[in-house]
């Protein structure tokens, strides 16, 4: 069982524009050509921040057109928020707040031996890393730059560096990079900060 941050990013390190648009991403590649189907088959639980969840709420018509329902995941999903947000009917959602370490044992148990997917955003993935709970970063780098926007991973992670374990080109629009997070990386960088 691994905790994986799986996402797509612009070449300059943003996962959404400042106003949370993903229009730039949808033109870059066919999800059928990515490793998504294999990836999601290994996922037993999801974690996402409030802005990512609200994107799903705002774009429900697009999601329905793509997957046939307003919520694309059968796995239980933990939504981190300090607010009361509307529920998507039929989705297995748990709204939580605060330290990811307090929630993680429940997520791991629910995942039943499968992986935990940190969907985003970048800071939530960073919170899992800060807690020593992040094992892998799988990022599809799109062939675009955004200049500014929501950051991929707003943390300093230098020593030891990530370990690049796979690289795959997906047409002209995407390059998928798979990294392992070294054990003890969060503590080492915190010591130097
Ligand atoms: N490119 C991709 O593949 C991809 C993947 C995922 C997401 N996205 C997009 O990227 C953007 C990410 O937005 P974002 O950077 O703002 O991140 P986010 O993690 O989606 O949302 C951040 C918000 O989540 C809540 N939150 C986070 N950690 C919390 C905690 N420990 N306890 C309680 N609440 C917590 C806070 O909101 P409140 O306190 O206000 O509730 C915080 O402002 C979205 O537009 C999303 O659609 C893109």
């Amino acid at each position: 069982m691994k905790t994986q941050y799986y996402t797509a990013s612009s070449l300059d390190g943003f996962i959404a524009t400042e106003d949370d648009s993903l229009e730039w991403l949808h033109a870059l590649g066919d999800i059928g050509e990515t490793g998504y189907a294999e990836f999601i088959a290994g996922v037993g639980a999801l974690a996402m921040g409030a802005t990512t969840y609200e994107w799903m709420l705002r774009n429900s018509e697009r999601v329905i057109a793509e997957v046939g329902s307003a919520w694309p995941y059968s796995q239980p999903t933990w939504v981190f928020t300090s607010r009361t947000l509307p529920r998507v009917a039929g989705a297995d959602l748990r709204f939580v707040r605060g330290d990811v370490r307090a929630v993680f044992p429940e997520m791991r148990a629910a995942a039943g031996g499968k992986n935990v997917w940190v969907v985003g955003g970048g800071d939530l993935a960073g919170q899992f890393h800060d807690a020593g709970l992040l094992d892998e970063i799988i990022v599809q780098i799109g062939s675009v730059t955004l200049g500014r926007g929501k950051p991929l991973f707003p943390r300093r992670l230098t020593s030891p560096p990530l370990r690049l374990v796979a690289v795959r080109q997906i047409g002209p629009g995407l390059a998928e990079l798979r990294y392992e997070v070294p054990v003890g990386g969060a503590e080492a960088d915190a010591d130097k900060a």
Side-chain angles (χ1 to χ4, degrees):
M1 175 263 158
K2 289 177 180 157
T3 306
Q4 301 170 311
Y5 177 34
Y6 177 101
T7 190
S9 170
S10 66
L11 180 60
D12 54 344
F14 300 107
I15 61 169
T17 61
E18 286 165 309
D19 58 352
D20 296 303
S21 170
L22 297 178
E23 289 307 316
W24 57 274
L25 177 60
H26 293 121
L28 286 175
D30 177 358
I31 196 168
E33 292 172 14
T34 70
Y36 179 77
E38 190 185 338
F39 166 77
I40 195 70
V43 170
L46 282 68
M48 64 177 67
T51 314
T52 299
Y53 179 71
E54 288 176 303
W55 187 96
M56 304 287 292
L57 293 178
R58 273 199 316 281
N59 290 273
S60 59
E61 283 182 16
R62 176 194 281 267
V63 178
I64 289 169
E66 284 176 4
V67 299
S69 69
W71 190 253
Y73 310 117
S74 56
Q75 301 91 334
T77 300
W78 278 256
V79 179
F80 285 80
T81 183
S82 60
R83 293 171 289 139
T84 302
L85 298 174
R87 284 187 164 272
V88 175
D92 184 350
L93 299 169
R94 296 112 200 257
F95 294 95
V96 291
R97 66 184 68 188
D99 194 331
V100 298
R101 282 171 296 197
V103 180
F104 188 71
E106 198 188 330
M107 296 185 67
R108 182 167 43 197
K114 289 189 164 189
N115 299 318
V116 172
W117 176 17
V118 183
V119 183
D123 184 71
L124 184 64
Q127 292 175 47
F128 278 85
H129 179 255
D130 296 344
L133 295 172
L134 190 64
D135 300 305
E136 289 186 352
I137 298 175
I138 304 159
V139 55
Q140 291 159 353
I141 306 287
S143 306
V144 295
T145 63
L146 296 175
R148 54 192 179 277
K150 297 296 179 76
L152 170 64
F153 194 71
R155 291 294 187 278
R156 182 181 303 174
L157 198 166
T158 59
S159 178
L162 297 169
R163 187 174 135 75
L164 181 63
V165 292
V167 176
R168 195 158 70 92
Q169 180 172 354
I170 305 160
L174 293 167
E176 186 175 274
L177 309 179
R178 189 178 192 114
Y179 294 96
E180 286 173 0
V181 179
V183 176
E187 293 84 347
D189 272 317
D191 287 348
K192 281 184 270 140

